């Protein structure tokens, strides 16, 4: 390594890794390294660039091997979520298909507002080699490549075509990665020749650098307007979203609720933002919520959205808020989200803004009848959950709700549950009793199949002292289970609940409600005589499949067997997979809320025509809040 005055001669790959190793993050006076290392799969595009640098600096910057590029990004997302957005991982891939495999993960990160740094390799910047292996050729725009596909799913995107561009790209990346408002997937595309090219970088680039995560204060006039809106409300309700957790505002929310008596409904991302036992925690809200919280939401004259982006599941596709006089007050650090639903925007950090709003409200409280009704509904909901998850003695099958309750009974307050797709996110949203703000790791911004096992790796990497319980369906397992090997390789124990319902069970149920008869949703052999799917189910030995990775595998078909398997898995020190066959109908239902999935307007199938009538009835209740 040569030093010239105030410069260091390094390759772009080496400079990138040295820079990342020096980044710190600080919030509320607590500082920590921002990057926990890098995941990667090496190919010709990065093996001699970033790959060489990770070898050279392996003592300062850990490298973790992976099996699938999408899975690696999902591991990085699980890590960032477990670090409450105050930490991230980098992911490096080769050119072409290796890079493209990360695009789905990038969408997952950006949808969920979670920081990940993606370092896809790219074509030769010099073009001296001509077009190369795995490079897409565009005859009209030679500068376009696979990496350009990341633009739509990244919060920041740059291509480093010359070494001198690297400092600006890295600093820009860090600005977005540590931003409370703008974070998500950050893509810095690195042409493979540039990765290995040497340059005299300024020494200052490699100093330890701290990025201070701000707590933006809301505008004072906006706070006064917000306080007046709350005072005028007769039946206000809070929708607590993920922003409550990411801003570490859970204690401030509880204090605000205690002082005002305003009940709370929880979005999927905000599920753990108020203690389960709080008397004003009405539970999950929206399409995947409960009828108890949804009753309050339907009658509320003021919805106070805190850190939520009002997805269609939260708003029941704009059919949930039925009070003709309903107004919205939205507290969010992101201006874009604060103005949704035609709301009165309060733009600022959730923790500080809640405290300041509470101070302006003074001793104001909701009317006693509103508080009493909310308390009653919340209590009824908790009793209903206990009834739903209770195993029935000598039951021949294992309902999914009971399985969730049993796993929950083994989870300590610091332990985390992971899931993303299928019917389980809805059941977990309703039934899981989280032990703390970071104990509920459901990805439902993108609802990405294949997230689960990989995210469990990242969550465990972020905090090795807690148990990780990962729920995954058989359909998702067949898509992406390969990071189970990474879990075993790195000693990152997780307990995987592999739930078999013989296909895409959640979508089969949806298919039937929209008149499509469950077509194409079960894993069935094709009848060679008719050319159509038969009634004969494909049988997959999932237990043996999991065992082939080296995991300890248990099988459970009843509540008692599941309890025994959980006892053994928790007591063990290695990654375990519990294979369970659940009763496909043994789920919780009855949220009382709709979710819009368009139904064929004309059809030759009776079930489709009937479903269209129901669809039109629901759409009649849809409102645009402007």
């Amino acid at each position: 390594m040569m030093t010239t005055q105030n410069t260091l001669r390094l390759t772009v790959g080496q400079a990138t890794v040295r820079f990342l190793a020096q980044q710190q993050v600080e919030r509320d006076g607590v500082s920590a390294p921002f990057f926990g290392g890098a995941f990667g799969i090496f190919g010709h595009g990065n093996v001699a660039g970033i790959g060489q640098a990770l070898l050279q600096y392996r003592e300062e910057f850990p490298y973790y091997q992976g099996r699938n590029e999408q899975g690696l990004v999902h591991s990085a997302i699980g890590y960032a979520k477990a670090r409450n957005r105050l930490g991230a991982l980098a992911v490096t891939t080769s050119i072409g298909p290796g890079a493209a495999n990360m695009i789905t993960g990038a969408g997952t990160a950006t949808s969920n507002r979670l920081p990940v740094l993606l370092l896809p390799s790219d074509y030769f910047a010099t073009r001296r080699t001509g077009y190369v292996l795995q490079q897409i050729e565009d005859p009209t725009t030679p500068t376009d490549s696979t990496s350009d596909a990341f633009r739509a799913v990244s919060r920041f995107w740059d291509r480093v075509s010359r070494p001198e561009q690297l400092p600006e790209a890295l600093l820009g990346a860090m600005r977005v990665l540590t931003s409370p408002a703008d974070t998500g997937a950050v893509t810095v595309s690195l042409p493979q020749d540039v990765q290995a090219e040497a340059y005299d970088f300024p020494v200052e680039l490699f100093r330890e650098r701290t990025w201070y995560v701000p707590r933006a204060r809301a505008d004072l006039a906006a706070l006064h307007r917000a306080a007046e809106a709350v005072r005028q409300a007769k039946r206000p309700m809070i929708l607590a979203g993920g922003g409550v957790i990411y801003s570490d505002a859970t204690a401030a929310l509880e204090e605000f609720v205690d002082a005002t008596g305003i009940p709370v409904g929880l979005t999927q991302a905000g599920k753990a933002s108020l203690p389960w036992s709080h008397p004003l925690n009405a539970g999950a809200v929206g399409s995947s919520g409960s009828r108890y919280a949804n009753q309050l939401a339907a009658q509320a004259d003021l919805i106070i959205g805190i850190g939520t982006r009002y997805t269609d599941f939260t708003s029941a596709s704009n059919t949930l808020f039925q009070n003709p006089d309903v107004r919205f007050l939205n507290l969010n650090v992101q201006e874009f989200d604060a103005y949704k639903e035609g709301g009165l925007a309060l733009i600022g950090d959730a923790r500080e803004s809640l405290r300041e709003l509470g101070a302006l409200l003074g001793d104001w409280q909701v009317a006693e009848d509103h508080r009493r009704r909310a308390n009653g509904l919340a209590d009824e909901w908790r009793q209903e959950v206990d009834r739903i998850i209770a195993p029935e003695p000598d039951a021949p099958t294992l309902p999914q709700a009971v399985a969730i309750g049993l796993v929950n009974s083994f989870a300590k307050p610091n332990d985390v549950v992971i899931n993303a797709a299928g019917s389980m996110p809805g059941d977990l949203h309703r039934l899981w009793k989280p032990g703390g703000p970071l104990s509920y790791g459901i990805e439902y911004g993108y609802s990405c199949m294949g997230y689960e096992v990989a995210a469990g790796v990242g969550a465990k990497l972020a905090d090795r002292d807690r148990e990780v319980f990962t729920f995954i369906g058989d359909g998702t397992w067949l898509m992406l289970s390969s990071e189970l090997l990474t879990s075993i390789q790195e000693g990152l124990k997780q307990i995987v609940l592999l739930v078999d319902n013989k296909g895409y069970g959640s979508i089969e149920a949806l298919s039937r409600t929209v008149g499509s008869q469950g077509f194409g949703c079960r894993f069935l052999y094709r009848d060679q005589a008719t050319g159509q799917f038969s009634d004969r189910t494909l049988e997959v030995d999932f237990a043996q499949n999991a065992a082939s990775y080296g995991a300890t595998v248990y099988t459970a078909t009843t509540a008692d067997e599941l309890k025994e398997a959980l006892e053994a898995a928790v007591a063990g020190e290695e990654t375990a997979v519990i294979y369970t066959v659940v009763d496909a109908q043994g789920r919780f239902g009855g949220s009382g809320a709709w979710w819009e999935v368009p139904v064929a307007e004309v059809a030759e199938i009776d079930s489709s025509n009937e479903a269209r009538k129901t669809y039109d009835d629901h759409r009649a209740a849809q409102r645009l809040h402007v």
Side-chain angles (χ1 to χ4, degrees):
M1 184 186 304
M2 295 178 60
T3 303
T4 304
Q5 295 180 347
N6 292 320
T7 63
L8 285 175
R9 189 161 183 80
L10 301 168
T11 68
V12 166
Q14 293 161 3
T16 298
V17 174
R18 284 198 61 163
F19 173 87
L20 299 182
Q22 294 300 312
Q23 305 311 298
Q24 302 282 315
V25 65
E26 181 176 318
R27 185 172 70 179
D28 300 333
V30 179
S31 180
F34 185 67
F35 286 101
F39 274 104
I41 296 177
F42 298 130
H44 67 92
N46 63 343
V47 66
I50 291 289
Q52 187 278 335
L54 287 169
L55 166 66
Q56 184 165 307
Y57 299 120
R58 61 190 181 277
E59 298 296 329
E60 300 100 304
F61 199 76
Y63 162 73
Y64 301 97
Q65 186 183 59
R67 275 78 211 168
N68 178 287
E69 292 88 354
Q70 180 189 138
L72 300 190
V73 183
H74 286 157
S75 292
I77 296 168
Y79 179 90
K81 191 172 181 69
R83 289 285 310 277
N84 211 23
R85 302 201 303 196
L86 297 176
L89 295 170
V91 185
T92 175
T93 66
S94 189
I95 188 175
N101 280 346
M102 290 201 295
I103 292 172
T104 299
T108 308
T110 295
S111 292
N112 288 279
R113 318 290 171 86
L114 289 164
V116 296
L117 176 61
L118 309 179
L119 302 173
S121 301
D122 214 331
Y123 51 55
F124 278 75
T126 61
R127 304 193 198 175
R128 289 184 299 183
T129 308
Y131 284 99
V132 299
L133 179 67
Q134 298 181 349
Q135 181 178 348
I136 291 175
E137 299 182 46
D138 187 335
T140 60
T141 311
T143 56
D144 279 358
S145 75
T146 298
S147 292
D148 290 273
F150 284 90
R151 292 177 185 263
V153 290
S154 298
R155 296 295 292 169
F156 177 90
W157 184 96
D158 198 2
R159 174 180 284 122
V160 178
S161 299
R162 294 294 310 141
E164 51 265 45
Q165 297 170 351
L166 183 66
E168 181 182 25
L170 292 177
L171 293 169
M174 286 303 303
R175 174 188 63 79
V176 175
L177 287 167
T178 58
S179 168
D182 293 333
T183 196
V186 166
T187 301
V188 178
S189 186
L190 299 172
Q192 53 189 307
D193 54 340
V194 176
Q195 286 185 41
E197 189 174 345
Y199 182 75
D200 295 322
F201 291 98
V203 172
E204 180 70 5
L205 182 63
F206 309 111
R207 66 173 172 84
E208 185 176 290
R209 190 183 303 266
T210 299
W211 298 83
Y212 298 95
V213 179
R215 291 195 177 275
R217 296 309 200 266
D219 176 71
L220 184 58
L223 278 164
H224 280 281
R225 288 192 294 270
E228 184 59 25
V230 174
R231 289 192 195 98
Q232 292 178 2
K234 303 300 183 184
R235 291 191 294 273
M237 182 184 188
I238 292 169
L239 294 191
V244 176
I245 295 170
Y246 294 139
S247 62
D248 196 21
T250 53
L253 175 63
E254 187 171 5
E255 292 166 5
F256 184 84
V257 171
D258 288 340
T260 63
I262 302 175
V264 179
L266 305 173
T267 74
Q268 188 70 267
K271 165 78 173 177
S273 56
L274 195 68
W276 169 262
S277 59
H278 193 284
L280 287 169
N281 181 352
V285 73
S287 299
S288 60
S290 77
R291 64 180 183 272
Y292 301 90
N294 288 342
Q295 283 182 46
L296 290 170
Q299 297 169 4
D301 58 354
L302 180 67
I303 296 295
I304 306 171
I306 306 175
T308 179
R309 59 193 183 97
Y310 289 103
T311 67
D312 58 346
F313 256 70
T314 296
S315 72
S317 299
N318 273 344
T319 62
L320 184 59
F321 313 114
Q322 286 299 312
N323 188 315
D325 300 318
V326 67
R327 298 176 63 200
F328 295 83
L329 167 62
N330 299 325
L331 168 55
N332 206 295
V333 73
Q334 168 62 263
E335 184 180 61
F336 176 73
D337 292 322
Y339 281 98
K340 287 180 176 177
E341 304 289 5
L344 177 64
L346 188 58
I347 302 164
D349 175 78
R351 191 187 77 177
E352 298 309 309
S353 299
L354 272 174
R355 290 174 175 172
E356 292 169 352
L357 179 59
L360 287 175
L361 289 171
D363 60 359
W364 179 90
Q365 293 185 351
V366 299
E368 182 58 32
D369 62 335
H370 183 53
R371 182 198 290 263
R372 187 166 51 249
R373 182 165 186 272
N375 283 341
L377 287 169
D379 188 56
E380 285 182 52
W381 170 233
R382 282 186 288 272
Q383 293 181 42
E384 179 72 354
V385 169
D386 288 341
R387 183 191 67 79
I388 292 167
I389 65 176
E392 294 184 15
D394 303 319
T397 60
L398 178 63
Q400 184 165 287
V402 172
I404 287 172
L406 282 172
V407 176
N408 204 168
S409 70
F410 279 86
K412 300 182 293 296
N414 191 47
D415 294 343
V416 64
V417 60
I418 304 282
N419 186 237
S423 62
M424 283 180 285
D427 284 357
L428 289 163
H429 188 199
R430 300 175 181 108
L431 304 176
W432 189 265
K433 304 175 183 179
L438 298 181
S439 65
Y440 189 76
I442 309 305
E443 186 284 295
Y444 216 51
Y446 216 46
S447 184
C448 186
M449 297 179 72
Y451 172 83
E452 293 87 341
V453 172
V457 171
K460 189 70 172 184
L461 185 62
D463 186 349
R464 293 175 183 261
D465 293 330
R466 65 182 184 174
E467 206 77 78
V468 174
F469 294 96
T470 302
F471 283 89
I472 184 170
D474 52 325
T476 304
W477 176 271
L478 291 171
M479 282 190 179
L480 211 168
S481 60
S482 54
E483 297 313 319
L484 190 73
L485 190 60
T486 307
S487 181
I488 294 167
Q489 178 184 26
E490 297 292 345
L492 298 168
K493 177 194 173 186
Q494 58 178 307
I495 299 172
V496 179
L497 280 296
L498 173 50
V499 177
D500 186 357
N501 59 14
K502 309 301 180 184
Y504 305 124
S506 173
I507 294 300
E508 184 198 36
L510 176 62
S511 172
R512 294 189 183 283
T513 66
V514 297
S516 295
Q517 303 177 10
F519 178 74
C521 297
R522 289 295 175 191
F523 299 157
L524 304 172
Y525 283 99
R526 187 172 295 279
D527 187 316
Q528 297 304 313
T530 66
Q532 302 301 317
F533 290 118
S534 70
D535 294 329
R536 190 160 62 100
T537 302
L538 286 165
E539 296 298 334
V540 180
D541 192 336
F542 287 102
Q544 187 169 333
N545 182 224
S548 71
Y549 285 112
T552 300
V553 179
Y554 306 91
T555 297
T557 57
T558 66
D560 287 341
E561 290 175 353
L562 178 56
K563 185 176 180 181
E564 291 176 5
L566 284 164
E567 288 173 348
V570 169
E573 297 182 357
E574 66 285 334
T575 288
V577 174
I578 302 175
Y579 170 68
T580 64
V581 178
V582 299
D583 177 358
Q585 304 305 316
R587 297 179 47 228
F588 172 81
S591 71
W594 184 55
W595 181 45
E596 183 174 11
V597 176
V599 177
E601 190 168 3
V602 295
E604 298 176 3
I605 300 172
D606 289 342
S607 59
S608 299
N609 290 322
E610 288 300 315
R612 179 69 194 198
K613 294 176 184 176
T614 303
Y615 172 77
D616 288 337
D617 289 342
H618 281 294
R619 280 201 67 187
Q622 206 166 40
R623 299 176 62 187
L624 290 179
H625 301 287
V626 294

